[in-house]
Amino acid sequence: MKIQIKDITHIQTGVFAKPAGIGELVYLQAKHFDEYGQLHTVLHPDLAADGISEKHLLKGGDVLFAAKGTKNFAAVFENHNEPAVASTSFFVIRPTSKKLLPQFLAWVLNSHATQTLLKCQAIGTSIQSISKQVLGNLEIAVPSIETQKAILQITELRHKEKSLKQQIESLKEKQIQQIILNAIKF
């Protein structure tokens, strides 16, 4: 069964603000994430809390979707005790149904098929963006929680496998280089 995202989540835009370098809130921007939607930097509070509505504070399990530019990705916000808000580069998607895991929603949004579909509906010439309406109207299959967990576990194991293969290749390369250097030294 397919369900529109807007029927099982609440979607809102991020906050427009200018970080001051010091403050009480972390201001999450796309630059804080790598191409896979993983945080790649240590975050520090850099935004004053004055004038920021409570509804914009991120909660653990919120899904951030980078809707602007060429690097569209979804990431699950994990609350690390630092209050944070998302920039306007993001839509904040908060699941309203216990039948949808935030991690599964992020996985669906990051899937090649979904990315292709969303990019086809992006608007703008210089900076493409995906509208809230397009995102909300996106239909996704929502399997049982057990199936969602299994999909996420398979995905995690696949990532670990890829990482291990890269490590093995790197070690083989070092080993071959060392053998060659030893052979040259006589």
Side-chain angles (χ1 to χ4, degrees):
M1 173 175 78
K2 290 198 171 199
I3 300 174
Q4 288 184 324
I5 288 180
K6 68 181 178 185
D7 293 335
I8 53 174
T9 67
H10 172 74
I11 304 171
Q12 71 180 26
T13 59
V15 175
F16 177 75
K18 292 187 180 183
I22 191 163
E24 302 82 32
L25 304 173
V26 172
Y27 188 60
L28 284 174
Q29 300 177 64
K31 70 180 183 180
H32 294 128
F33 295 85
D34 67 15
E35 62 202 72
Y36 305 107
Q38 301 296 315
L39 274 173
H40 67 80
T41 184
V42 177
L43 301 173
H44 302 285
D46 59 354
L47 183 66
D50 298 341
I52 303 295
S53 170
E54 179 93 15
K55 74 176 186 172
H56 287 291
L57 293 177
L58 296 174
K59 296 180 181 177
D62 284 350
V63 177
L64 304 176
F65 181 73
K68 295 181 181 176
T70 58
K71 188 172 100 170
N72 303 117
F73 63 87
V76 178
F77 176 74
E78 296 176 15
N79 191 352
H80 295 292
N81 299 324
E82 292 285 353
V85 294
S87 72
T88 54
S89 296
F90 294 104
F91 284 119
V92 179
I93 309 168
R94 188 167 291 157
T96 56
S97 170
K98 298 287 183 194
K99 296 179 181 181
L100 177 65
L101 296 174
Q103 296 82 359
F104 180 76
L105 177 58
W107 177 82
V108 169
L109 292 172
N110 287 327
S111 73
H112 180 71
T114 301
Q115 287 285 314
T116 302
L117 181 66
L118 290 173
K119 285 191 188 307
C120 288
Q121 298 182 54
I123 54 174
T125 53
S126 60
I127 298 177
Q128 294 220 321
S129 64
I130 296 160
S131 72
K132 181 178 176 182
Q133 181 180 3
V134 166
L135 184 61
N137 289 338
L138 181 69
E139 289 187 338
I140 62 170
V142 181
S144 69
I145 292 291
E146 295 79 22
T147 302
Q148 291 177 51
K149 287 179 180 178
I151 289 168
L152 294 169
Q153 189 173 26
I154 290 167
T155 302
E156 183 180 337
L157 289 171
R158 177 67 177 133
H159 288 312
K160 285 181 181 178
E161 178 188 31
K162 285 180 179 180
S163 176
L164 288 171
K165 283 183 177 181
Q166 286 178 330
Q167 289 175 24
I168 289 168
E169 281 303 311
S170 177
L171 290 171
K172 281 182 181 179
E173 185 64 31
K174 287 178 183 176
Q175 181 183 33
I176 289 170
Q177 291 300 320
Q178 191 60 50
I179 291 169
I180 291 169
L181 286 175
N182 290 343
I184 293 172
K185 290 179 184 176
F186 300 115

